[in-house]
Amino acid sequence: MMKSSVKMPQPPTPAHICPMDRTCSYLQQAGSELNVDPGILAVLEKPRKVVTVSIPVKLDTGEVEVLAGHRVQHCDVLGPYKGGTRYHPSVTLQEVSSLAMLMTWKCALLGIPYGGAKGGIAIDPNQYSVGELERITRRYTSELIKDIGPAVDIPAPDMGTSAREMAWMMDTYSMNVGHSVPGIVTGKPLSVGGSKGRQQATGRGVMIVVREALAQEGKPLAGASVVVQGFGNVGGAAALLLHEAGAKVLAVSNLSGGVFAENGLDVPALYKHVVQNRGHMGNFPGGELITNEELLTLPCDVLIPAALENQITEDNALQIQAQMVAEAANGPVTLVADQMLHSRGITVLPDILANAGGVVVSYLEWVQGQSYVFWDEERVNQEMEGLMVRAYHRVYETAQQRGIPLRLAAYTLGVGRVAQALGDRGLYP
Ligand SMILES: NC(=O)C1=CN([C@@H]2O[C@H](COP(=O)(O)OP(=O)(O)OC[C@H]3O[C@@H](n4cnc5c(N)ncnc54)[C@H](O)[C@@H]3O)[C@@H](O)[C@H]2O)C=CC1
Ligand SMILES: O=C(O)CCC(=O)C(=O)O
């Protein structure tokens, strides 16, 4: 949705927070809950293919910079690999591998016929011109040409990328193979076969899951107090849609800081302000400034981290005052913090459920493209809502039946489906 022009150095990921350890730990927990054969778990712990490519790019100054790009394909037992492409300074092979594994469980949980993958380049896109970004994206795509394809691995947007980059990827792939291949990416512009509703889909899915979870606790979404960290594609759409649904959005933030209003922010006005101010929240007349750290610990019904990984850690988990945390970002809560929130009775809606709206509409885009029939936005939203609501209730019921947290229930469903398919395909006796 909105690209920020704020340039700030990124703090390194603390050494004790390893994204792959977290994802593997949840996999192991789901495996023991389901009594999955250790051989199958050993297969699922490792990505099937890891590709790192060198991306030489001529900068506008005439200098050449050589970047590293990754694509990790975790598992394709249920269908083609699927997952976003991230441009962010924190990108590492470890991070991309963990995100690829999350995609496998997310697609399986939602019942969509995809495997899991993720890609990324460790750059701050705000530091590059549009021309440089185009050259980087095209070279990255060309380097991956033998590893991606509409029946093999289908990239999509993630942090730092959008429909624009998907159009460049599609064009580059199409030029390489000699004909137009819209199905090579999802999240592309409508003009080249994108789907209505994809841009807001992840945020809309977050809103739907939060609404269902609040309803389960007997609370309506209208009037619920919400805090959102991140105001990009996911956080921006989630805040706007929650506001539209009558929730009181107390605070939102992005890289530039945050704003808070005790009686709720006028989110559309803030959105306009941020666009006009090239990503800056400061000087917004309808709220007071707040830091990202303060925002995370505000008392509210629902806290929605929609930016980076590892935002809720053992250092701030005890200060979280939300009743519910909805993981719009991938991996915003560390392993230890997750246990701390659980023992404090705070409901955590796990990423593989809460942010699945994006890949669901990517799937619907792919379905429309395959059939050459394109739907109106109402139909896309309805189909997505149906899948999200059913997934939420499957997770909730599994958690109730097994007496386990929602995250483990979600993993149990996702891992169980993949393990079953592995067995049925004869890969494991
Ligand atoms: N784009 C998509 O369809 C999907 C994205 N996600 C996840 O959602 C998260 C956000 O992705 P997008 O919204 O697409 O990215 P984006 O690049 O559009 O927006 C990221 C937002 O986070 C803010 N941000 C960055 N660092 C921050 C910090 N330290 N503190 C506060 N805010 C900060 C940025 O200023 C920006 O507002 C990521 O974890 C991504 O993997 C998950 C599912 C699908
Ligand atoms: O839309 C997609 O294919 C992938 C979205 C994504 O990267 C994610 O859900 O984390």
Side-chain angles (χ1 to χ4, degrees):
M1 282 190 89
M2 180 188 307
K3 288 288 151 235
S4 152
S5 67
V6 180
K7 298 179 183 179
M8 283 173 76
Q10 299 297 314
T13 305
H16 64 286
I17 301 172
C18 174
M20 201 57 184
D21 287 355
R22 168 178 46 211
T23 328
C24 286
S25 166
Y26 294 137
L27 165 64
Q28 291 299 340
Q29 288 174 45
S32 50
E33 185 67 29
L34 294 170
N35 269 325
V36 175
D37 183 300
I40 290 189
L41 288 181
V43 170
L44 294 175
E45 261 198 349
K46 298 274 181 272
R48 178 135 181 247
K49 192 167 186 181
V50 175
V51 185
T52 296
V53 295
S54 198
I55 307 167
V57 55
K58 195 176 270 180
L59 303 176
D60 293 346
T61 57
E63 286 167 284
V64 173
E65 188 179 355
V66 184
L67 303 165
H70 309 290
R71 184 83 189 164
V72 175
Q73 298 170 334
H74 173 252
C75 174
D76 68 345
V77 167
L78 294 176
Y81 298 107
K82 187 84 189 83
T85 303
R86 179 176 287 198
Y87 290 178
H88 192 273
S90 73
V91 165
T92 60
L93 195 52
Q94 269 273 350
E95 185 191 74
V96 177
S97 302
S98 155
L99 291 167
M101 193 194 278
L102 281 183
M103 286 307 304
T104 302
W105 315 138
K106 194 182 297 183
C107 294
L109 169 63
L110 268 291
I112 56 180
Y114 287 138
K118 203 80 171 194
I121 307 177
I123 51 167
D124 177 353
N126 299 311
Q127 308 280 6
Y128 293 85
S129 71
V130 173
E132 289 168 339
L133 287 172
E134 179 169 356
R135 293 196 287 283
I136 292 167
T137 306
R138 287 186 181 280
R139 186 62 191 247
Y140 173 62
T141 310
S142 286
E143 293 294 337
L144 290 178
I145 213 79
K146 292 200 174 79
D147 298 297
I148 56 175
V152 181
D153 182 355
I154 307 156
D158 189 72
M159 231 171 138
T161 62
S162 64
R164 180 183 69 178
E165 284 74 14
M166 294 308 110
W168 293 334
M169 289 185 96
M170 179 221 156
D171 188 60
T172 308
Y173 185 87
S174 300
M175 284 195 304
N176 272 274
V177 298
H179 57 98
S180 246
V181 188
I184 177 61
V185 288
T186 60
K188 54 194 173 282
L190 290 179
S191 61
V192 288
S195 174
K196 294 198 169 121
R198 174 61 183 89
Q199 205 177 32
Q200 285 202 316
T202 312
R204 184 176 295 280
V206 171
M207 183 271 286
I208 290 166
V209 171
V210 165
R211 184 195 66 204
E212 295 300 302
L214 285 172
Q216 201 78 56
E217 296 181 1
K219 296 180 193 157
L221 181 55
S225 56
V226 177
V227 167
V228 185
Q229 185 200 40
F231 205 50
N233 181 286
V234 178
L240 283 165
L241 291 165
L242 285 159
H243 173 82
E244 202 178 290
K248 195 160 72 167
V249 181
L250 296 181
V252 301
S253 67
N254 66 10
L255 205 44
S256 73
V259 286
F260 164 75
E262 203 176 345
N263 296 319
L265 292 161
D266 178 345
V267 183
L270 175 64
Y271 191 82
K272 223 163 130 187
H273 173 89
V274 174
V275 171
Q276 281 165 357
N277 289 277
R278 305 189 69 238
H280 286 269
M281 297 239 162
N283 303 328
F284 178 63
E288 55 191 86
L289 288 179
I290 183 172
T291 65
N292 260 295
E293 293 71 32
E294 289 165 341
L295 171 135
L296 290 172
T297 56
L298 285 171
C300 59
D301 292 313
V302 191
L303 171 63
I304 305 181
L308 300 168
E309 278 91 349
N310 304 327
Q311 295 304 293
I312 303 177
T313 68
E314 64 220 75
D315 296 332
N316 62 2
L318 289 178
Q319 281 82 52
I320 301 297
Q321 296 188 67
Q323 305 292 310
M324 183 182 285
V325 174
E327 292 186 324
N330 285 306
V333 178
T334 65
L335 193 58
V336 176
D338 193 47
Q339 286 152 5
M340 290 165 77
L341 295 180
H342 180 64
S343 59
R344 292 183 55 216
I346 298 172
T347 304
V348 178
L349 302 174
D351 44 13
I352 59 171
L353 170 67
N355 70 28
V359 74
V360 166
V361 176
S362 277
Y363 164 62
L364 299 176
E365 176 176 329
W366 189 67
V367 168
Q368 293 169 77
Q370 300 266 334
S371 60
Y372 303 98
V373 176
F374 290 87
W375 308 338
D376 60 23
E377 189 165 346
E378 201 185 337
R379 165 130 188 233
V380 174
N381 290 344
Q382 262 175 15
E383 300 272 354
M384 186 263 270
E385 179 152 355
L387 283 163
M388 294 297 290
V389 168
R390 287 196 290 279
Y392 169 78
H393 288 283
R394 276 200 302 275
V395 171
Y396 180 80
E397 279 149 27
T398 304
Q400 292 294 108
Q401 282 159 11
R402 292 181 175 269
I404 55 179
L406 293 175
R407 187 190 309 279
L408 185 52
Y411 266 73
T412 302
L413 289 165
V415 171
R417 186 151 187 255
V418 176
Q420 171 80 39
L422 261 173
D424 290 348
R425 284 181 58 165
L427 299 181
Y428 258 87

